[in-house]
């Protein structure tokens, strides 16, 4: 198939290629495979004391799964279930079968660990190879991986995926931004792998050193690990002169490799032969309709060391089952608008930080660097959005600054339906991030 994606003014062309025909199976075959694998997963999960106890209590067994609808009879798993069985209480295989352990630090409490058998590691590399290929990676490319190599699944996960495709890796790891830029220039990296917020910072530092998009050798990038918006994609693409793809995953489920964009970049294809993704109303836990937002709940179908059933991700997104012109038959998920636990409730209105990002990036003169501070000085919530000005609009004319502030506040009101205070700050003064961005300070928790 010769489907291509080319934006006006860009020389990079993404040719549509499929790594594994499993991505393009007829829907009925996907369903058959999912059912068989769901039963295998239930059998493996019966070795995990947490699931065994529930299965016994509810009279569940692999044989009681007769159709995919029976998934709804299986229990949910939450982050606190994993924490309560710290460190490795969810293992379904003897410890000597474990080939590697990763973990997520989380923002509160103990980390959670996730384990892989050598078979799991092979599967993981294949899954990453799939989305990397769908987003343009070919054996001739040189990929700079600027995710931390460590417990975080981003570094090693993508590393083995790139190698599986046959491309070359520069395992730059996170941080040391000046060195990242020299590596990129000296080795002529074609592809960047990082969080979108780190890419934004890298691009900014390069630009400050007089290295513009034309001088950067990068052609395209695979970003993931945190929520970001279409407007942020445009800002980073412009700053670095690249074409950026989105990919999604979480350590509890495998790491990166759950889903990723194809050349058309209209939603992330879910690797449905390895995961069942449900989209549920977070309050009622009933399925929402196609295209409606809900919480993603994920069941692994092939993981051996730590099979996971109906994991409540807290990520809010929607599902699109419509066929994609790229030829893949898998369901696509939208961007993650945010995590339900990051959703701010401001005077009763639900707001995701990504809505504020979307609004302010639409205002010319506002830089894509911002911080949201929420407080409750008296009885009412107050939100202050600090936004950096672009150096070119920085002005000592009060009236100009005032109208920029007003435009940002108005745009936020339109998109997020809340009135906020906007503080314009000098260029390059807000914190930059080398991994996942932390843009919200909620003082109400302390007050
Ligand atoms: O962030 C795995 C990963 C690494 C995915 C690198 C993609 C690239 P955790 O540290 O466990 O794992 O964090 C998982 O990050 O539940 C989402 O809230 C968020 N997240 C990951 N990818 C995206 C994305 C890795 N593309 C949590 N868009 C998930 C929005 C994302 N949020």
């Amino acid at each position: 198939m010769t489907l291509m994606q080319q934006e006006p003014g860009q020389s990079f062309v993404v040719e549509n290629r499929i790594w594994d025909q499993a991505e393009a199976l007829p829907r009925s075959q996907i369903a058959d495979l999912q059912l068989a694998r769901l039963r295998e997963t239930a059998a493996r999960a019966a070795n995990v004391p947490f699931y065994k106890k529930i299965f016994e209590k509810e009279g569940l067994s692999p044989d009681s799964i007769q159709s995919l609808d029976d998934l709804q009879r299986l229990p949910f798993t939450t982050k606190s279930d994993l924490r309560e069985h710290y460190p490795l209480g969810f293992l379904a295989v003897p410890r000597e079968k474990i080939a590697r352990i990763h973990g997520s630090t989380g923002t509160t409490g103990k980390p959670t660990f996730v384990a892989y058998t050598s078979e799991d590691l092979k599967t993981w590399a294949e899954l990453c190879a799939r989305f990397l290929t769908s987003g343009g990676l070919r054996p001739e490319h040189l990929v700079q991986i600027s995710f931390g190599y460590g417990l975080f699944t981003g570094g090693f996960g993508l590393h083995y995926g790139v190698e599986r495709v046959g491309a070359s890796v520069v395992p730059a790891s996170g941080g040391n931004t000046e060195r990242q830029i020299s590596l990129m220039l000296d080795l002529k990296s074609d592809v960047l792998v990082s969080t979108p917020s780190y890419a934004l910072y890298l691009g900014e530092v390069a630009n400050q050193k007089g290295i513009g998009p034309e001088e950067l050798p990068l052609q395209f990038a695979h970003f993931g690990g945190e929520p970001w918006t279409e407007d942020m994609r445009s800002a980073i693409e412009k700053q670095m002169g690249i074409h950026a793809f989105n990919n999604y995953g979480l350590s509890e489920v495998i790491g990166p490799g759950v889903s990723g964009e194809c050349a058309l970049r209209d939603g992330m294809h879910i690797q449905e032969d390895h995961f069942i993704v449900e989209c549920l109303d977070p309050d009622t836990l009933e399925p929402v309709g196609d295209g409606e937002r809900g919480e993603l709940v994920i069941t692994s179908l092939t993981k051996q060391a730590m099979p996971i059933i109906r994991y409540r991700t807290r990520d809010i997104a929607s599902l699109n089952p419509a066929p994609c012109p790229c030829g893949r038959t898998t369901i696509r998920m939208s961007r993650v608008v945010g995590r339900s636990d990051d959703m701010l409730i401001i005077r009763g209105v639900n707001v995701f930080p990504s809505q504020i990002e979307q609004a302010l990036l639409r205002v010319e003169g506002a830089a894509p660097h911002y911080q949201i501070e929420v407080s409750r000085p008296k009885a009412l919530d107050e939100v202050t959005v600090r936004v950096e000005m672009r150096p070119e609009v920085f002005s000592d004319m009060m009236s100009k600054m005032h109208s920029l502030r007003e435009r940002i506040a108005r745009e936020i009101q339109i998109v997020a339906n809340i009135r906020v205070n906007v503080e314009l700050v000098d260029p390059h003064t807000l914190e930059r991030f080398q991994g996942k961005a932390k843009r919200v300070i909620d003082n109400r928790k302390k007050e």
Side-chain angles (χ1 to χ4, degrees):
M1 194 176 186
T2 52
L3 192 80
M4 306 253 182
Q5 174 79 359
Q6 186 167 21
E7 306 283 308
Q10 276 188 335
S11 57
F12 176 66
V13 175
V14 187
E15 189 191 340
N16 182 44
R17 277 198 212 169
I18 295 183
W19 174 257
D20 186 334
Q21 283 312 311
E23 299 169 67
L25 288 176
R27 290 299 310 169
S28 63
Q29 278 186 38
I30 295 181
D32 291 348
L33 199 55
Q34 285 188 326
L35 179 58
R37 289 181 170 178
L38 181 60
R39 297 176 73 168
E40 287 166 15
T41 294
R44 278 196 292 269
N47 296 324
V48 177
F50 172 83
Y51 292 123
K52 185 167 185 263
K53 208 162 126 195
I54 300 176
F55 286 3
E56 282 172 1
K57 191 164 154 237
E58 306 285 332
L60 293 165
S61 70
D63 287 340
S64 59
I65 301 170
Q66 295 294 327
S67 77
L68 284 175
D69 290 340
D70 288 329
L71 176 64
Q72 291 178 26
R73 296 168 55 204
L74 300 183
F76 291 103
T77 314
T78 61
K79 182 105 175 170
S80 28
D81 295 327
L82 297 179
R83 285 216 177 103
E84 277 164 29
H85 295 82
Y86 180 86
L88 288 167
F90 267 74
L91 273 193
V93 294
R95 280 185 85 125
E96 59 271 23
K97 291 262 183 223
I98 296 178
R100 202 190 302 158
I101 293 173
H102 279 280
S104 80
T105 43
T107 40
T108 50
K110 282 183 186 164
T112 43
F113 291 120
V114 287
Y116 303 75
T117 62
S118 51
E119 200 59 33
D120 290 334
L121 292 176
K122 277 193 207 136
T123 307
W124 191 19
E126 281 291 319
L127 294 179
C128 290
R130 286 187 189 179
F131 78 72
L132 286 164
T133 300
S134 70
L137 189 67
R138 306 289 174 252
E140 59 271 24
H141 289 135
L142 178 67
V143 185
Q144 182 158 336
I145 299 190
S146 307
F147 275 138
Y149 278 64
L151 283 180
F152 177 54
T153 51
F156 282 100
L158 268 296
H159 182 101
Y160 288 103
V162 171
E163 288 195 344
R164 186 74 193 87
V165 172
S168 339
V169 185
V170 183
S173 198
N176 207 340
T177 306
E178 306 261 329
R179 196 191 53 163
Q180 298 267 1
I181 294 165
S182 326
L183 283 174
M184 207 176 270
L185 293 173
D186 297 348
L187 299 174
K188 306 221 173 340
S189 309
D190 304 293
V191 185
L192 174 66
V193 165
S194 69
T195 55
S197 48
Y198 191 44
L200 188 67
Y201 181 37
L202 270 171
E204 179 187 50
V205 174
N207 292 176
Q208 277 168 0
K209 292 166 104 42
I211 306 159
E214 316 74 40
E215 283 83 33
L216 284 175
L218 296 174
Q219 298 181 51
F220 63 105
H222 282 274
F223 298 141
E226 63 181 359
W228 55 313
T229 56
E230 263 326 293
D231 299 275
M232 186 61 94
R233 166 147 55 197
S234 313
I236 300 172
E237 288 187 334
K238 197 162 151 219
Q239 189 184 44
M240 295 189 123
I242 55 166
H243 199 76
F245 293 90
N246 193 6
N247 73 88
Y248 167 84
L250 60 163
S251 40
E252 292 82 356
V253 168
I254 200 159
V258 174
S259 65
E261 287 177 330
C262 65
L264 292 157
R265 305 193 304 174
D266 184 17
M268 293 182 275
H269 285 276
I270 295 171
Q271 320 257 25
E272 285 188 278
D273 50 334
H274 292 268
F275 308 99
I276 300 182
V277 179
E278 300 168 84
C279 188
L280 308 182
D281 179 313
D283 299 322
T284 64
L285 296 176
E286 290 297 321
V288 300
D290 292 341
E292 280 175 36
R293 277 184 190 166
E295 177 180 339
L296 302 180
V297 171
I298 308 185
T299 301
S300 71
L301 295 174
T302 49
K303 266 209 322 177
Q304 299 181 342
M306 265 183 75
I308 194 132
I309 296 178
R310 306 191 84 194
Y311 185 67
R312 292 199 53 185
T313 64
R314 309 279 169 194
D315 291 327
I316 305 295
S318 62
L319 299 181
N320 174 11
C324 179
C326 78
R328 287 174 188 78
T329 49
T330 43
I331 291 180
R332 282 169 285 165
M333 59 179 267
S334 68
R335 279 179 179 284
V336 172
V337 285
R339 295 178 53 81
S340 56
D341 31 16
D342 290 343
M343 188 180 76
L344 299 165
I345 304 182
I346 308 294
R347 288 171 244 132
V349 180
N350 298 349
V351 182
F352 283 106
S354 61
Q355 290 175 288
I356 293 181
E357 173 176 306
Q358 183 194 334
L360 67 88
L361 284 185
R362 291 193 175 173
V363 179
E364 212 182 313
H369 301 281
Y370 64 97
Q371 183 183 63
I372 303 166
E373 187 169 343
V374 191
S375 56
R376 191 177 287 150
K378 293 193 185 107
L380 285 182
D381 299 327
E382 269 189 23
V383 182
T384 301
V385 178
R386 288 190 192 95
V387 187
E388 278 185 18
M389 288 170 284
R390 289 193 179 279
E392 61 274 18
V393 301
F394 179 77
S395 157
D396 42 16
M397 269 176 64
M398 288 295 281
S399 60
K400 269 197 175 166
M401 293 297 99
H402 181 73
S403 80
L404 180 57
R405 248 194 342 254
E406 266 311 298
R407 277 210 311 276
I408 295 173
R410 207 175 322 122
E411 202 62 39
I412 293 175
Q413 179 143 36
I414 294 168
V415 175
N417 202 18
I418 52 164
R419 187 80 205 154
V420 302
N421 307 315
V422 175
E423 252 178 45
L424 294 176
V425 301
D426 290 349
H428 314 298
T429 50
L430 292 176
E431 190 185 348
R432 302 295 191 255
F433 304 95
Q434 311 209 327
K436 303 190 186 213
K438 190 177 175 320
R439 293 207 169 86
V440 180
I441 307 169
D442 195 341
N443 293 320
R444 293 173 302 179
K445 292 174 183 155
K446 302 178 216 146
E447 282 159 10

